[in-house]
Structure formats: structure tokens, C-alpha cells
């Protein structure tokens, strides 16, 4: 337990999902291709990103601390992602899906959650445009970085999903320096691009 708590608090030695860089001439964003992987996830419906991530994080942290069918502790991983799926109107609730990557040793057969609000998610292969930024983050900072990323992608003629985005955090609140945060926009596949034409 001490190792998991230390990892969560200080973000050292965390396992990350594997990805491949995709050729890209831009200097203000990356393009990454993630393979199909399993994540443990939870959905929170609400109006604000920050409290939704906090609530989702605690559900998932309880899962890795043993609130699962086998009562086993699972190592913390990074990043903590949050898929933001805004409601249809300006005053509609948003669906925030917070997720932890399931460590490699549990990918083939993830431990089932005990909490009915926590589920195992099979993410398909995914190509994302990524903007990396430092410091402490919040909803406003993520929104600012997301706007910069979308402007860069529009400048370069890149096709991306406009209705959803991810935030990704790599560090605990106790890490003060050299923090790493990201916003991701999902690259549209060939089929998605063709249907819009």
C-alpha cells in the first residue's frame, strides 16, 4: 500500500500506456497513436471539470486500493485522463469520464470493480493531437490550452473531433515542480472525414 500511496502522491515510477509518435512538422503539438488498451473508468455528470475529476479520481483510487472483486491493490499509473463530452446546449450537463490506465500485468484480465459506478473500458486504437503544458492545471487552464491546440490544428488543416476532448494529468497535487499536463483532441479517421465532405 505504501508504494501505491507514494506513487500517487509523488508521481514517480508510474507505468504509462504505450504510444507511437506520428510524423508531424508542427512544433506546438504532438501526434500520438495509442494502441488498444484497457482502462478503469467512471462517469460523473456535472457542470464543472475540476470537481468531476476529483470525484472520479477518488472512485478510481479506491478501486486500486482494493475496492474490487479480488480485494487486491493495483499500482497507480499515469496519466489520469478525463474524456469531456459536453451537453448539447450552453446550460446542459457534461459527461466527464475519468480513467486510470490498467497496468500491463492486468491488461489481459483486469480485476472487476466492486463499485457499480466504476467499469473496465476497452479503448480502441486512438490517434490524438496533444498539447503539453506545465504548472498546476484547472478547467480554465485546460480550456485555454485546448483553444491553442485547436487553432494550431486548424492552421495546419488537421481534421479532429470537435465535440469531445481529453485532459491528461501526470502528477499528484504534491508535486510542485516540472509538472506535466496535456489536452488531447481525437484525430478524425478517414471514414469520419469522408462523411463530412
Amino acid at each position: 500500500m505504501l508504494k501505491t500511496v507514494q506513487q500517487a502522491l509523488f508521481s514517480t515510477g508510474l507505468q504509462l500506456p504505450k504510444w507511437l509518435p506520428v510524423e508531424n512538422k508542427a512544433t506546438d503539438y504532438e501526434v500520438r497513436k495509442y494502441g488498444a488498451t484497457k482502462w478503469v473508468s467512471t462517469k460523473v455528470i456535472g457542470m464543472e471539470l475540476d470537481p468531476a475529476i476529483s470525484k472520479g479520481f477518488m472512485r478510481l483510487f479506491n478501486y486500486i486500493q482494493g475496492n474490487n472483486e479480488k480485494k487486491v491493490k493495483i499500482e497507480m499509473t499515469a496519466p489520469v485522463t478525463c474524456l469531456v463530452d459536453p451537453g448539447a446546449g450552453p446550460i446542459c450537463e457534461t459527461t466527464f469520464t475519468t480513467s486510470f490506465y490498467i497496468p500491463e500485468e492486468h491488461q489481459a484480465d483486469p480485476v472487476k470493480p466492486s463499485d457499480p459506478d466504476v467499469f473496465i473500458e476497452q479503448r480502441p486504437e486512438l490517434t490524438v493531437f496533444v498539447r503539453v503544458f506545465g504548472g498546476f492545471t484547472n478547467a480554465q487552464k485546460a480550456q485555454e490550452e485546448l483553444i491553442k491546440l485547436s487553432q494550431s490544428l486548424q492552421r495546419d488543416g488537421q481534421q479532429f473531433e470537435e465535440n469531445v476532448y481529453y485532459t491528461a494529468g501526470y502528477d499528484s497535487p504534491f508535486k510542485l515542480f516540472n509538472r506535466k499536463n496535456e489536452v488531447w483532441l481525437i484525430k478524425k479517421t478517414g471514414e469520419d472525414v469522408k462523411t463530412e465532405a
Side-chain angles (χ1 to χ4, degrees), residues 179-196:
R179 296 180 62 79
K180 181 180 178 183
N181 309 289
E182 298 172 343
V183 287
W184 301 353
L185 285 168
I186 302 167
K187 181 175 182 169
K188 282 192 175 179
T189 63
E191 292 172 11
D192 294 334
V193 173
K194 287 177 194 167
T195 56
E196 285 193 348

Side-chain angles (χ1 to χ4, degrees), residues 70-85:
K70 294 183 179 176
K71 307 282 186 234
V72 296
K73 296 196 183 333
I74 300 166
E75 286 195 32
M76 183 70 193
T77 59
V80 175
T81 65
C82 184
L83 175 64
V84 181
D85 187 0

Side-chain angles (χ1 to χ4, degrees), residues 18 33-39 83 121-128 166 184 186 189:
K18 293 179 176 78
K33 184 175 186 178
Y34 286 88
T37 48
K38 292 184 178 98
W39 296 66
L83 175 64
E121 173 188 359
Q122 173 65 59
R123 278 196 197 166
E125 185 176 273
L126 187 68
T127 300
V128 291
Y166 280 97
W184 301 353
I186 302 167
T189 63

Side-chain angles (χ1 to χ4, degrees), residues 35-95:
T37 48
K38 292 184 178 98
W39 296 66
V40 60
S41 302
T42 187
K43 292 184 181 193
V44 176
I45 309 295
M47 300 295 281
E48 296 181 32
L49 176 69
D50 298 329
I53 289 178
S54 292
K55 186 175 185 177
F57 179 92
M58 287 314 300
R59 287 180 188 166
L60 300 176
F61 189 73
N62 288 335
Y63 166 81
I64 67 170
Q65 284 299 297
N67 187 16
N68 53 59
E69 281 192 356
K70 294 183 179 176
K71 307 282 186 234
V72 296
K73 296 196 183 333
I74 300 166
E75 286 195 32
M76 183 70 193
T77 59
V80 175
T81 65
C82 184
L83 175 64
V84 181
D85 187 0
I91 309 177
C92 293
E93 291 185 317
T94 295
T95 302

